[in-house]
Amino acid sequence: MQSSFLYYLISGFLWSYDLYEATISSLVKTEKDFAKHSIQVSTKEAFLKYLAPNAILFEPSGPVNGYQKWQNTTKDEAVLAWSPLFADLSTSSDLGYTTGWYTQKSDRKSTKIDEYGHFVTVWEKQPSGEWKVAVDIGISHPPSGIIPMFQAAQKSAFTGKVDPENAKDDLMSWETHFCKLQNEKGQSIFENYLAPQARLYREERSPYITPEDIKKAISDPKFSVNYTPLDGDIAVSGDLGYVYGKTEIQLAKESKSGNYLRIWKKNAAGTWQVMVDLVNY
């Protein structure tokens, strides 16, 4: 009896893990198809095809409706190319994100790359089963010349109960509390909130993806940020969520206004940890 129970327990775990792997693969494939459409058809048509109607993109002045932005775009000569390098998924498989490199050319016929950078795209599964872009944001930086291998995030170990009616409010309260601490004490508080696979993105800098690099980044006295959260969303499983908003950034010699996206993931104990923190301007 005990061996039979163990067999079914292991089989159930493997089936669950295989389903998770298959779903994260479908998410990555959707991102790659999105990028392929940008190159083969046009960047405008790609965004109109893959953005949700209420998707959020970012202008220097703040977040905007991305679908409407691309609908109103008349010029479509520029071309974006990109590829995912990292992906993560909620255990309910309704919310995920991808991140990787991008390049931009001002003209489709040009061979010159005008901009290099990294993107983060948040995806939400629609009632039809399709993945659609909920939020898309990026940073530009000088070419690094180093492209790491693709990596999938570790599956969340959180199995606690979730209150669906209050889950988003709880996430936003957590975010507000975190922003208050960070605004008062500086970036050094990140060290207590980072997930093991955390990534930090800062405008004009290559991504920080190792604990050593992140520690250097949050200790930089020439870069400080004040965050103002605006909105976000959370997975049905309550283990993955995101918040976006506006920022005031103090650099060594100037101040800038910008945007941010922060992605949170719960650990086994049910504590929110930062998986992605992106600041641009």
Side-chain angles (χ1 to χ4, degrees):
M1 178 71 75
Q2 188 175 7
S3 61
S4 297
F5 174 76
L6 184 62
Y7 169 78
Y8 286 112
L9 183 65
I10 294 173
S11 297
F13 171 79
L14 291 175
W15 179 85
S16 174
Y17 192 78
D18 286 346
L19 180 62
Y20 177 84
E21 289 291 298
T23 308
I24 207 167
S25 294
S26 76
L27 175 62
V28 173
K29 182 181 183 302
T30 302
E31 179 70 78
K32 290 181 176 179
D33 289 344
F34 181 19
K36 186 185 296 184
H37 205 79
S38 176
I39 294 172
Q40 294 182 348
V41 183
S42 81
T43 298
K44 176 180 179 177
E45 292 303 318
F47 275 86
L48 290 177
K49 179 178 173 67
Y50 286 92
L51 288 181
N54 59 344
I56 297 296
L57 300 181
F58 296 85
E59 299 282 6
S61 58
V64 297
N65 182 291
Y67 194 87
Q68 292 177 3
K69 170 183 165 62
W70 277 103
Q71 272 189 321
N72 296 330
T73 299
T74 54
K75 293 184 178 180
D76 194 25
E77 293 88 4
V79 59
L80 276 170
W82 67 90
S83 184
L85 296 173
F86 187 84
D88 199 358
L89 181 70
S90 65
T91 54
S92 51
S93 298
D94 61 321
L95 183 70
Y97 65 90
T98 49
T99 178
W101 62 264
Y102 79 84
T103 60
Q104 178 171 285
K105 296 189 295 185
S106 58
D107 187 273
R108 186 165 290 275
K109 297 177 182 179
S110 173
T111 58
K112 178 189 174 186
I113 295 175
D114 300 294
E115 184 175 302
Y116 295 83
H118 274 72
F119 71 89
V120 179
T121 304
V122 178
W123 296 85
E124 291 184 350
K125 189 170 282 187
Q126 307 301 298
S128 63
E130 289 182 299
W131 287 108
K132 290 287 186 179
V133 175
V135 179
D136 190 64
I137 192 171
I139 57 166
S140 61
H141 57 73
S144 64
I146 301 173
I147 300 178
M149 297 290 290
F150 175 82
Q151 182 184 12
Q154 296 172 354
K155 185 178 179 180
S156 172
F158 174 71
T159 57
K161 292 183 179 179
V162 179
D163 178 1
E165 291 187 3
N166 297 309
K168 180 180 173 180
D169 289 342
D170 290 345
L171 172 63
M172 295 302 296
S173 294
W174 178 270
E175 174 73 17
T176 301
H177 170 70
F178 177 81
C179 288
K180 185 174 184 295
L181 283 177
Q182 200 283 152
N183 293 347
E184 291 175 353
K185 299 183 179 181
Q187 290 196 106
S188 61
I189 69 153
F190 269 97
E191 197 165 4
N192 300 320
Y193 292 84
L194 294 171
Q197 293 181 297
R199 292 164 174 257
L200 262 65
Y201 297 77
R202 299 292 184 260
E203 191 72 31
E204 299 179 352
R205 299 164 173 85
S206 294
Y208 302 102
I209 60 175
T210 67
E212 296 77 17
D213 287 344
I214 290 174
K215 191 169 184 177
K216 291 178 183 177
I218 62 179
S219 302
D220 184 358
K222 298 179 181 179
F223 188 96
S224 63
V225 189
N226 272 19
Y227 297 87
T228 302
L230 296 176
D231 202 0
D233 207 353
I234 189 170
V236 170
S237 49
D239 58 350
L240 190 68
Y242 68 89
V243 180
Y244 63 84
K246 301 182 73 171
T247 60
E248 292 297 326
I249 304 151
Q250 184 63 51
L251 303 173
K253 297 181 179 180
E254 60 181 330
S255 299
K256 288 182 177 288
S257 298
N259 306 289
Y260 84 93
L261 171 69
R262 186 173 293 121
I263 299 176
W264 293 94
K265 189 173 185 176
K266 280 186 178 177
N267 61 16
T271 302
W272 285 114
Q273 294 182 308
V274 175
M275 283 294 290
V276 174
D277 186 90
L278 185 151
V279 175
N280 70 8
Y281 49 82

